[in-house]
Amino acid sequence: MMLRNMIILTSVVAAMIPVASPAQAVSNSATPAFVPPSESQIPVDGFGEMVRKGRDIFINTQANAREYVGNGLNCVNCHLDAGRRADSGPLWGAWGMYPAYRSKNERVNNFAERLQGCFEFSMNGKIPLADSDVILALSTYAYWMARGAPVGIRLPGAGYAKQDYEPPEPPDYERGKKVYEHRCALCHGTNGEGQKAAGNYVFPPLWGPESFNWGAGMARLQDAAAFIKVNMPLGLGGTLDDQDAWDIALYMNSHERPQDPRFTGDLDETRDKYHDGKWSLYGRKINGHLLGGPASAY
């Protein structure tokens, strides 16, 4: 009965999800977001076959690229609507911006390297080779989705709407806990553990051993708050106010998760090198617990 109810809940929530709308963006951009081609336009040929393979990996990474995944997530958990939705890290907004310099590793990255980083950090997994079928398929899917978009120009709705996004008041753990319990726990669980149906996550874990690691972008409060504000609760994006979004982000990221794979063996050194920003909780003590400490890492 529990499994049946969970499947019904998943179907209901999926039906509620609206088409991506730039009006929901934190940035409130007046410029319409780019509209990618519909899936019905994927060509029926060898190229289209690779596009579909990339789409399938993106939607169900657990089943189609399992050897590179170390947690319970799929790409689509942080890039909604199969990577199409504005202000949810859409693929069409990323493809045309690479090669690009990234402060994360202090060098110019191409698009394949950007995808590899997602597997290493967000998926807490292994890095596929740049010439692997997985990277080729995902790159092809992104390239197809971005057809017609200008290259080298940041499009409205690309990435997460975090530019100049600041909390009205400093984020608060107790406020975040209350809002999380009221607006988020139904899907993601009281302890952020997510929910499964038939052995597969239908709602992703937000912390703990099956979630993203400390090196993932979502572990930074500004990324998490911007994503939550526009996209959560699922199907009801834009219904939380700014303070709620920031408070939930702080509550979510005040819990332990897998270690940053760049961990040097010294927590302070790792924080100084990779997390030296006001919106990272890594290496900080919350409620008496030192986040990211090697003794507590999964």
Side-chain angles (χ1 to χ4, degrees), residues 117-142:
C118 289
F119 281 98
E120 182 178 14
F121 300 110
S122 297
M123 312 302 288
N124 192 38
K126 294 170 57 179
I127 300 174
L129 294 175
D131 61 353
S132 66
D133 285 348
V134 167
I135 295 297
L136 176 60
L138 289 170
S139 298
T140 304
Y141 181 47

Side-chain angles (χ1 to χ4, degrees), residues 29 31-34 87 90 92-94 96-97 146 148-159:
S29 173
T31 305
F34 172 77
D87 296 304
W92 48 259
M97 296 304 294
V151 173
I153 298 174
R154 183 175 175 84
L155 300 172

Side-chain angles (χ1 to χ4, degrees), residues 47-252:
F47 176 79
E49 183 178 342
M50 188 60 73
V51 171
R52 290 183 178 87
K53 182 175 181 177
R55 177 200 60 192
D56 293 346
I57 292 172
F58 196 88
I59 293 173
N60 193 347
T61 324
Q62 295 287 324
N64 297 304
R66 182 63 212 170
E67 64 269 37
Y68 302 111
V69 180
N71 57 21
L73 304 184
N74 296 299
C75 299
V76 72
N77 292 141
C78 296
H79 309 271
L80 303 183
D81 193 19
R84 303 174 63 86
R85 181 173 298 189
D87 296 304
S88 178
L91 287 180
W92 48 259
W95 169 260
M97 296 304 294
Y98 288 87
Y101 179 85
R102 299 190 73 213
S103 58
K104 188 164 189 171
N105 54 18
E106 298 182 328
R107 60 187 179 83
V108 172
N109 289 195
N110 57 33
F111 192 69
E113 290 172 304
R114 182 66 182 86
L115 293 173
Q116 288 174 319
C118 289
F119 281 98
E120 182 178 14
F121 300 110
S122 297
M123 312 302 288
N124 192 38
K126 294 170 57 179
I127 300 174
L129 294 175
D131 61 353
S132 66
D133 285 348
V134 167
I135 295 297
L136 176 60
L138 289 170
S139 298
T140 304
Y141 181 47
Y143 166 77
W144 170 80
M145 194 177 289
R147 281 190 163 182
V151 173
I153 298 174
R154 183 175 175 84
L155 300 172
Y160 299 140
K162 62 184 180 180
Q163 185 68 32
D164 301 322
Y165 187 45
E166 298 279 339
E169 300 177 12
D172 181 82
Y173 181 95
E174 291 300 329
R175 285 199 310 255
K177 180 180 180 181
K178 290 178 182 178
V179 182
Y180 178 88
E181 290 172 347
H182 179 59
R183 302 297 301 273
C184 313
L186 175 65
C187 294
H188 295 288
T190 302
N191 298 309
E193 72 275 21
Q195 293 197 52
K196 287 184 175 181
N200 298 311
Y201 281 105
V202 291
F203 297 108
L206 301 182
W207 62 83
E210 289 296 299
S211 190
F212 51 89
N213 67 43
W214 280 111
M218 200 64 76
R220 298 190 299 262
L221 294 189
Q222 77 272 36
D223 290 60
F227 177 84
I228 290 167
K229 168 67 178 178
V230 180
N231 298 294
M232 294 290 125
L234 189 62
L236 298 172
T239 61
L240 294 168
D241 64 29
D242 289 348
Q243 191 64 58
D244 285 344
W246 279 94
D247 290 345
I248 293 170
L250 182 134
Y251 178 71
M252 177 180 79

Side-chain angles (χ1 to χ4, degrees), residues 249-266:
L250 182 134
Y251 178 71
M252 177 180 79
N253 285 342
S254 292
H255 293 82
E256 200 55 84
R257 59 186 61 261
Q259 181 60 273
D260 189 329
R262 301 167 297 182
F263 181 60
T264 67
D266 183 285

